[in-house]
Amino acid sequence: MKEPTLGNPQNTIAVLQKYQFTFQKKFGQNFLIDTHVLDKIIRSAEISKEDMVLEIGPGIGTMTQYLACAAGKVIAVEIDRALIPILEDTLDGYDNVRIINGDILKIDLAKLVEEENGGRPIKVVANLPYYITTPIIMSLFEGHVPLRSITVMVQKEVADRMQAGPGSKDYGALSLAVQYYAKPYIAANVPQNCFMPRPRIGSAVIRLERYETPPVAVKDERLLFGIIRASFNQRRKTLANGLKNSPELDFTKEEIEAAIEKLGKGASVRGEALTLEEFAELSNWLCRG
Ligand code: SAM
């Protein structure tokens, strides 16, 4: 396998100039130009030759080269058609890489994993396009794509939200959704100058280790997430009001108040004070099934 050639500003600029590539803001294109950060991502993802890796948004193929050296197989899904001839050039000689031109949110990933890896769990590694970070992470979890871990570069504030617990200003529906499916761990903070072009704010590498079974037992996952969304939709309202006002839920005032009381909480409690375990208990009490 060839040693990676990309990962520094000079070689990135040379590739961009050769193909007269222009950055597309709408695709969230901020390419990595720092080999230390690339090494750190690969180490944090704990990839071996046994692994199949899905890379979302390979750009000009910088991280793809590193992934190809570490993994058994890499599937790289890139939306921007202008990048495909570039990827064919920069990944020439890396014969364990398959490039797919498509939108990650429209591809049937469970089917792809079945075809490419016999349904065995994969690892996802990416420097994610920031405009769709949350939809990508949630579709990986909720689509029940077989996966062991997700190691991704995201905006620092999004990484903080994924890892936050009750009592923190960053705690919300994203924290609870992520922590229901996975154990989060921030592996590194990454400054703006590690990217071309420079993003406006700092980034972080977060690793989400998928649980085999969720840490809480719920009778109805959809209800759990409906309750979580309702609790944080109106952050300054009490939990009881949030649940009563939600168009997604149809519980009576009495049912809601009784469930909150069973939880051992006062009538004025807010959603942001509840742990994942407490949300699970609440949803089980409210579940009619
Ligand atoms: N991995 C490269 C790197 O680190 O240098 C590029 C990362 S850049 C932050 C995000 C990449 O995702 C871009 O190449 C962009 O074109 C691609 N992208 C954006 N939206 C996408 C989508 N819906 N599906 C697949 N790729 C997408």
Side-chain angles (χ1 to χ4, degrees), residues 26 38 60 68 74 113 120 136 145 158 183 193 217 234 245 288:
K26 66 172 181 197
L38 286 153
I60 61 165
V74 182
V113 175
R120 287 185 305 280
I136 290 176
V145 179
V158 177
K183 190 169 180 294
N193 58 7
Q234 298 172 301
N245 296 341
R288 293 183 181 126

mmCIF file of all heavy atoms in Angstrom, residues 26 38 60 68 74 113 120 136 145 158 183 193 217 234 245 288:
data_model
loop_
_atom_site.group_PDB
_atom_site.id
_atom_site.type_symbol
_atom_site.label_atom_id
_atom_site.label_comp_id
_atom_site.label_asym_id
_atom_site.label_seq_id
_atom_site.Cartn_x
_atom_site.Cartn_y
_atom_site.Cartn_z
ATOM 1 N N LYS A 26 -22.040 25.210 -0.121
ATOM 2 C CA LYS A 26 -23.275 24.490 0.203
ATOM 3 C C LYS A 26 -23.000 23.041 0.619
ATOM 4 O O LYS A 26 -23.856 22.396 1.214
ATOM 5 C CB LYS A 26 -24.249 24.524 -0.982
ATOM 6 C CG LYS A 26 -23.773 23.772 -2.188
ATOM 7 C CD LYS A 26 -24.845 23.661 -3.261
ATOM 8 C CE LYS A 26 -24.314 22.884 -4.432
ATOM 9 N NZ LYS A 26 -24.958 22.947 -5.655
ATOM 10 N N LEU A 38 -4.791 14.047 11.271
ATOM 11 C CA LEU A 38 -5.189 12.828 10.544
ATOM 12 C C LEU A 38 -4.744 11.583 11.320
ATOM 13 O O LEU A 38 -5.520 10.646 11.508
ATOM 14 C CB LEU A 38 -4.591 12.855 9.137
ATOM 15 C CG LEU A 38 -5.310 13.837 8.209
ATOM 16 C CD1 LEU A 38 -4.389 14.355 7.115
ATOM 17 C CD2 LEU A 38 -6.545 13.204 7.594
ATOM 18 N N ILE A 60 -10.950 15.505 -1.326
ATOM 19 C CA ILE A 60 -9.961 15.126 -2.356
ATOM 20 C C ILE A 60 -9.267 13.809 -1.982
ATOM 21 O O ILE A 60 -8.288 13.422 -2.617
ATOM 22 C CB ILE A 60 -8.919 16.243 -2.604
ATOM 23 C CG1 ILE A 60 -8.124 16.556 -1.318
ATOM 24 C CG2 ILE A 60 -9.568 17.490 -3.165
ATOM 25 C CD1 ILE A 60 -6.856 17.386 -1.578
ATOM 26 N N ALA A 68 -7.233 3.889 4.055
ATOM 27 C CA ALA A 68 -6.926 2.734 3.202
ATOM 28 C C ALA A 68 -5.719 1.964 3.748
ATOM 29 O O ALA A 68 -5.679 0.742 3.697
ATOM 30 C CB ALA A 68 -6.662 3.206 1.779
ATOM 31 N N VAL A 74 -12.366 0.310 2.439
ATOM 32 C CA VAL A 74 -12.949 1.642 2.675
ATOM 33 C C VAL A 74 -14.001 1.927 1.604
ATOM 34 O O VAL A 74 -13.727 1.768 0.409
ATOM 35 C CB VAL A 74 -11.865 2.759 2.616
ATOM 36 C CG1 VAL A 74 -12.479 4.118 2.914
ATOM 37 C CG2 VAL A 74 -10.718 2.476 3.564
ATOM 38 N N VAL A 113 -23.982 -2.212 3.735
ATOM 39 C CA VAL A 113 -23.172 -2.995 4.679
ATOM 40 C C VAL A 113 -23.407 -4.491 4.456
ATOM 41 O O VAL A 113 -22.482 -5.297 4.557
ATOM 42 C CB VAL A 113 -23.489 -2.587 6.145
ATOM 43 C CG1 VAL A 113 -22.760 -3.466 7.135
ATOM 44 C CG2 VAL A 113 -23.134 -1.123 6.379
ATOM 45 N N ARG A 120 -21.770 -7.546 8.614
ATOM 46 C CA ARG A 120 -20.973 -7.374 9.848
ATOM 47 C C ARG A 120 -20.812 -5.880 10.143
ATOM 48 O O ARG A 120 -20.733 -5.074 9.206
ATOM 49 C CB ARG A 120 -19.593 -8.019 9.695
ATOM 50 C CG ARG A 120 -19.620 -9.555 9.737
ATOM 51 C CD ARG A 120 -18.204 -10.122 9.695
ATOM 52 N NE ARG A 120 -17.454 -9.640 8.544
ATOM 53 C CZ ARG A 120 -17.568 -10.132 7.309
ATOM 54 N NH1 ARG A 120 -18.415 -11.107 7.050
ATOM 55 N NH2 ARG A 120 -16.846 -9.640 6.316
ATOM 56 N N ILE A 136 -26.973 13.176 9.823
ATOM 57 C CA ILE A 136 -26.137 12.015 9.460
ATOM 58 C C ILE A 136 -26.023 11.065 10.657
ATOM 59 O O ILE A 136 -26.262 9.863 10.551
ATOM 60 C CB ILE A 136 -24.728 12.452 8.979
ATOM 61 C CG1 ILE A 136 -24.811 13.145 7.620
ATOM 62 C CG2 ILE A 136 -23.791 11.244 8.886
ATOM 63 C CD1 ILE A 136 -23.492 13.695 7.095
ATOM 64 N N VAL A 145 -28.086 0.871 11.100
ATOM 65 C CA VAL A 145 -26.961 0.444 10.278
ATOM 66 C C VAL A 145 -26.018 -0.339 11.205
ATOM 67 O O VAL A 145 -25.670 0.164 12.274
ATOM 68 C CB VAL A 145 -26.221 1.690 9.707
ATOM 69 C CG1 VAL A 145 -25.032 1.264 8.870
ATOM 70 C CG2 VAL A 145 -27.181 2.566 8.917
ATOM 71 N N VAL A 158 -21.020 21.161 18.864
ATOM 72 C CA VAL A 158 -21.864 19.975 18.643
ATOM 73 C C VAL A 158 -21.294 18.790 19.435
ATOM 74 O O VAL A 158 -22.035 18.024 20.057
ATOM 75 C CB VAL A 158 -21.968 19.646 17.129
ATOM 76 C CG1 VAL A 158 -22.780 18.386 16.896
ATOM 77 C CG2 VAL A 158 -22.591 20.813 16.386
ATOM 78 N N LYS A 183 -21.666 5.507 23.559
ATOM 79 C CA LYS A 183 -20.895 6.153 24.627
ATOM 80 C C LYS A 183 -19.993 7.191 23.953
ATOM 81 O O LYS A 183 -19.138 6.824 23.135
ATOM 82 C CB LYS A 183 -20.036 5.079 25.297
ATOM 83 C CG LYS A 183 -19.363 5.482 26.556
ATOM 84 C CD LYS A 183 -18.816 4.195 27.183
ATOM 85 C CE LYS A 183 -18.112 4.392 28.442
ATOM 86 N NZ LYS A 183 -16.931 5.068 28.554
ATOM 87 N N ASN A 193 -7.045 26.446 11.926
ATOM 88 C CA ASN A 193 -5.975 26.467 10.916
ATOM 89 C C ASN A 193 -5.575 25.086 10.394
ATOM 90 O O ASN A 193 -4.678 24.976 9.573
ATOM 91 C CB ASN A 193 -4.745 27.222 11.435
ATOM 92 C CG ASN A 193 -4.203 26.610 12.701
ATOM 93 O OD1 ASN A 193 -4.661 25.534 13.131
ATOM 94 N ND2 ASN A 193 -3.236 27.261 13.326
ATOM 95 N N ALA A 217 -33.859 0.409 29.416
ATOM 96 C CA ALA A 217 -34.855 -0.432 28.735
ATOM 97 C C ALA A 217 -36.137 0.375 28.557
ATOM 98 O O ALA A 217 -36.689 0.878 29.545
ATOM 99 C CB ALA A 217 -35.131 -1.677 29.568
ATOM 100 N N GLN A 234 -39.594 23.489 24.376
ATOM 101 C CA GLN A 234 -39.893 24.734 25.088
ATOM 102 C C GLN A 234 -39.045 24.716 26.345
ATOM 103 O O GLN A 234 -39.500 24.330 27.416
ATOM 104 C CB GLN A 234 -41.370 24.760 25.448
ATOM 105 C CG GLN A 234 -42.269 24.749 24.236
ATOM 106 C CD GLN A 234 -43.721 24.585 24.623
ATOM 107 O OE1 GLN A 234 -44.129 23.614 25.247
ATOM 108 N NE2 GLN A 234 -44.514 25.568 24.261
ATOM 109 N N ASN A 245 -48.223 20.521 25.804
ATOM 110 C CA ASN A 245 -48.343 21.348 24.593
ATOM 111 C C ASN A 245 -47.836 20.668 23.329
ATOM 112 O O ASN A 245 -47.941 21.237 22.238
ATOM 113 C CB ASN A 245 -47.559 22.655 24.769
ATOM 114 C CG ASN A 245 -48.140 23.497 25.891
ATOM 115 O OD1 ASN A 245 -49.286 23.297 26.283
ATOM 116 N ND2 ASN A 245 -47.331 24.405 26.429
ATOM 117 N N ARG A 288 -48.845 3.244 26.785
ATOM 118 C CA ARG A 288 -50.155 2.573 26.948
ATOM 119 C C ARG A 288 -50.113 1.141 26.408
ATOM 120 O O ARG A 288 -51.066 0.410 26.564
ATOM 121 C CB ARG A 288 -51.223 3.360 26.216
ATOM 122 C CG ARG A 288 -51.445 4.729 26.868
ATOM 123 C CD ARG A 288 -52.566 5.472 26.157
ATOM 124 N NE ARG A 288 -52.765 6.759 26.749
ATOM 125 C CZ ARG A 288 -52.749 7.904 26.072
ATOM 126 N NH1 ARG A 288 -52.533 7.891 24.776
ATOM 127 N NH2 ARG A 288 -52.948 9.045 26.679
#
